Amino acid sequence: MVRVAFLWIVLIGGLIGLSALTACGGSGSAAHPDGPVPAERVPVEAEVRPGLIELRRWREPRQRVVIDRAGASIGPVGEPLVRKVFVEPGRLQDLLFFLRTYAPFRQRSPVGELAFGGQGPVKTGAVEQRMILEWARKVAAEVEGASDASYGLVLAWHRGEAAGSCDDVAVFSDGEVRASSCSREGESRGRLRPESLARLDQWYDRLKPFQQTAGVEAGRGRVPVRLTFAGRGSHDPSPEDVAALQALAAALHRELSLRRGDAAPPQPVAPGTTAVTEELDSDGAPISEAPGPDLLIGPLPAGRLPLPQAALPEYIPPPPPDDDDEAAPPSL
């Protein structure tokens, strides 16, 4: 609960700075500067190698980042790389999921090049490639110590205000979702399905940053809902946009609670009121026993077959140096 609530506070504080940064062609998670990169500054192409993700940044300082199961090797292009371990414990799980699910690809953009050595059966589209690129950039920032817990945060949602009766959701540009509640310790973690992430990307590219407080019916009163969105677009959000983002966040919190094995999350109670025993949808029908919306990658509903997974090599060697490197990165 503490982590997600902290992320929500940090995102609110950074909206003004994010707006200025976006106007200059960047963002807190996915900068896409305009203009071609001069040919003389383009480094040697990254090589797609099984089991590795390599990211090369073309703007100064030009860097090379190679991610494998042991962590990340990072350093200036043309110089020896330094091995660093993952900062977040869930990053190895993320990497294995990507490698076992998606087929290899190379992506070039104004900010650099990504070479993905996946060994899975699923061919990536633009959404999946962007997801993996954003994840690699986040990992690089983490191991360099250049980011805090809010790096890449796009959506923060908080419902409720009474002690022991509040919920939080944080959604990041790489599709990572974190949810927590005042009523229990720890947080749940998941990842948006590509179709869900594509919808979020559309909002992110189109809408300006905003924050809004509204209310939802709960129990016998209204509970405040605070929504903060770090978009990089130029359009003001419509009431329909705000309602859809609020609904998405609430659905993600419910689904993560169910995937964690919890009972349906308790309904927030307005101060001075008592909660009713059933939660009703817009038509007045009880939804307390309704299945989750299946917005996340993760434990699959009954009857759905998992994607086939390719076996990883027994050992993934450290990445070799560039041709002009003086020495290879340190081995483990």
Side-chain angles (χ1 to χ4, degrees):
M1 171 63 198
V2 175
R3 176 189 176 107
V4 176
F6 167 76
L7 294 176
W8 179 81
I9 294 171
V10 172
L11 183 55
I12 291 178
L15 278 176
I16 296 177
L18 178 63
S19 299
L21 180 61
T22 309
C24 296
S27 73
S29 59
H32 294 278
D34 295 329
V37 178
E40 65 273 15
R41 293 177 57 187
V42 178
V44 177
E45 284 191 350
E47 180 184 357
V48 176
R49 287 167 285 162
L52 301 179
I53 300 177
E54 180 170 349
L55 172 65
R56 298 204 182 195
R57 299 167 176 169
W58 289 347
R59 291 185 175 270
E60 299 297 343
R62 294 188 298 160
Q63 285 185 315
R64 180 173 176 240
V65 183
V66 182
I67 303 172
D68 62 20
R69 291 188 295 178
S73 297
I74 188 168
V77 173
E79 297 184 13
L81 306 182
V82 178
R83 171 72 76 179
K84 297 178 180 290
V85 298
F86 291 123
V87 175
E88 287 284 341
R91 297 301 174 232
L92 176 58
Q93 181 182 2
D94 293 338
L95 175 65
L96 295 180
F97 168 76
F98 293 145
L99 295 175
R100 289 168 171 165
T101 303
Y102 297 112
F105 68 86
R106 179 184 286 113
Q107 180 197 62
R108 298 172 66 87
S109 72
V111 296
E113 180 181 15
L114 183 74
F116 175 72
Q119 298 171 282
V122 180
K123 183 177 180 180
T124 58
V127 174
E128 292 90 345
Q129 291 185 12
R130 181 173 179 173
M131 172 180 66
I132 295 172
L133 171 64
E134 293 302 323
W135 181 85
R137 295 181 66 192
K138 181 162 68 175
V139 169
E142 288 173 349
V143 300
E144 287 181 295
S147 72
D148 56 27
S150 66
Y151 183 91
L153 186 61
V154 173
L155 173 66
W157 174 86
H158 177 85
R159 177 177 64 189
E161 59 182 5
S165 181
C166 63
D167 304 308
D168 286 278
V169 168
V171 186
F172 297 82
S173 59
D174 66 334
E176 182 180 15
V177 182
R178 294 178 181 268
S180 64
S181 294
C182 297
S183 59
R184 62 172 182 264
E185 296 183 357
E187 63 181 11
S188 304
R189 179 175 176 266
R191 183 167 299 280
L192 290 174
R193 291 186 177 277
E195 54 270 28
S196 304
L197 182 56
R199 190 180 183 200
L200 182 68
D201 285 345
Q202 291 174 351
W203 277 312
Y204 177 65
D205 292 335
R206 180 171 59 87
L207 300 181
K208 295 178 180 178
F210 71 89
Q211 54 180 311
Q212 185 164 332
T213 300
V216 295
E217 296 293 340
R220 298 189 177 94
R222 292 181 67 82
V223 171
V225 174
R226 294 191 290 272
L227 180 71
T228 305
F229 188 73
R232 63 173 187 181
S234 58
H235 292 79
D236 292 319
S238 67
E240 292 76 18
D241 290 325
V242 175
L245 286 166
Q246 288 178 342
L248 173 64
L252 289 171
H253 188 277
R254 178 178 180 81
E255 184 170 351
L256 279 174
S257 297
L258 295 175
R259 286 172 181 256
R260 176 173 166 163
D262 298 340
Q267 190 176 351
V269 180
T273 67
T274 303
V276 295
T277 57
E278 288 185 321
E279 185 179 357
L280 306 180
D281 63 18
S282 59
D283 297 323
I287 61 173
S288 57
E289 300 301 324
D294 197 20
L295 298 168
L296 297 165
I297 298 169
L300 297 173
R304 180 175 297 179
L305 296 177
L307 293 170
Q309 295 187 347
L312 289 174
E314 290 292 329
Y315 168 71
I316 300 178
D322 288 332
D323 293 339
D324 53 349
D325 285 351
E326 295 180 0
S331 58
L332 297 179

